[in-house]
Amino acid sequence: MHIDIITLFPDMFADIFSQSILKRAQNKGLFSVEVHNLRDYSTNKNHNVDDYPYGGGAGMVIQVEPVDNCLTALKAKRHYGEIIYTAPDGERLSQSLCNELALNDNLCILCGHYKGVDERIREHLITREISIGDYVLSGGELAAAVIADSVVRLLPGVLNDETSALTDSFQQDLVSPPVYTRPANYKGWQVPDILLGGNDKLIDNWRFEQAVERTRQRRPELLEE
Ligand code: ADE
């Protein structure tokens, strides 16, 4: 999978993609990313990309032209499964949406801007609007990073243990069961006996029951859905 990210703050992504699983996915050739500075697509001599809102009001609005220029250049190189705009009023990111996005060869993410973008960008240039939750971030960069991370880890071969993405919280509309590692007894805090007994069938059953019970306690709405 290739992801292109369009942003006014490209430096925000430097560390995110050079660490941990996202780095390993790139080293294995399973994922590539390019971060594009929207200012590079401005035709304005000061590289401005925003202007005052028509009708007045506070704040600046991202103009349609630099975004169109950038997307035209990117689309000449790749066909995108989705061109995503990050916005608090978008469709809510969920595990099932991540699964769906992970099926694409190419994604493009336009990072939202705190005062918004010209509505014609949303109407004509993007294919999907995604929110990562009901709170307002100061920009779409963190949301773009969340989308990239949650999608890339699902690509076949990215995680060492092929089954582990499938047992994640939410993959079956259940949260994950508890996990433990050595020592079996720490200050009298015991690991459940069943995990030490070596009976895989009993352990699987126990994990499933724990997942259901935890979901009932913590996220009962998932069971209702
Ligand atoms: N931009 C600002 N807030 C956001 C959110 N919650 N999700 C996605 N993009 C955003």
Side-chain angles (χ1 to χ4, degrees):
M1 170 180 281
H2 180 83
I3 301 184
D4 284 301
I5 297 177
I6 306 169
T7 172
L8 285 171
F9 303 101
D11 292 348
M12 283 184 74
F13 294 95
D15 282 348
I16 292 170
F17 291 114
S18 60
Q19 311 281 331
S20 185
I21 288 171
L22 290 177
K23 177 183 178 190
R24 209 171 61 213
Q26 290 171 85
N27 290 345
K28 285 182 173 176
L30 300 168
F31 163 60
S32 55
V33 60
E34 278 173 70
V35 180
H36 307 272
N37 190 338
L38 185 60
R39 286 191 200 287
D40 295 342
Y41 296 87
S42 167
T43 48
N44 177 297
K45 73 174 183 322
N46 296 320
H47 299 287
N48 289 338
V49 293
D50 54 7
D51 207 335
Y52 295 99
Y54 275 123
M60 304 291 273
V61 177
I62 297 284
Q63 294 170 289
V64 65
E65 191 194 21
V67 174
D68 191 26
N69 290 344
C70 181
L71 285 173
T72 301
L74 296 182
K75 284 194 278 190
K77 286 198 274 181
R78 288 194 172 81
H79 175 75
Y80 295 104
E82 299 284 4
I83 300 175
I84 297 164
Y85 174 62
T86 58
D89 59 353
E91 166 185 10
R92 180 86 68 85
L93 188 66
S94 63
Q95 192 60 51
S96 63
L97 178 50
C98 295
N99 294 348
E100 186 189 324
L101 293 174
L103 299 175
N104 292 290
D105 291 334
N106 298 301
L107 292 174
C108 185
I109 309 178
L110 170 64
C111 297
H113 181 250
Y114 62 106
K115 277 298 172 195
V117 298
D118 189 306
E119 187 64 19
R120 291 166 291 184
I121 294 170
R122 302 179 75 164
E123 281 171 5
H124 301 291
L125 297 178
I126 61 138
T127 64
R128 201 132 190 182
E129 306 189 328
I130 297 179
S131 162
I132 63 163
D134 284 346
Y135 41 83
V136 179
L137 300 164
S138 38
E141 284 71 19
L142 293 174
V146 167
I147 295 167
D149 184 284
S150 55
V151 169
V152 169
R153 64 189 294 288
L154 297 172
L155 301 177
V158 168
L159 297 184
N160 280 335
D161 175 355
E162 287 288 341
T163 62
S164 77
L166 295 174
T167 56
D168 284 341
S169 277
F170 306 115
Q171 266 309 1
Q172 300 172 304
D173 286 333
L174 294 176
V175 304
S176 293
V179 293
Y180 299 86
T181 187
R182 278 187 282 213
N185 180 352
Y186 180 73
K187 295 183 177 173
W189 304 334
Q190 282 281 358
V191 171
D193 283 341
I194 200 146
L195 296 177
L196 309 175
N199 184 327
D200 290 343
K201 182 99 184 64
L202 287 180
I203 290 172
D204 282 351
N205 287 344
W206 180 87
R207 285 187 170 143
F208 180 71
E209 285 163 14
Q210 290 287 317
V212 173
E213 181 54 19
R214 284 202 158 196
T215 308
R216 198 185 59 72
Q217 284 172 0
R218 298 172 186 210
R219 300 292 306 275
E221 78 283 5
L222 292 176
L223 294 175
E224 282 151 26
E225 279 163 22

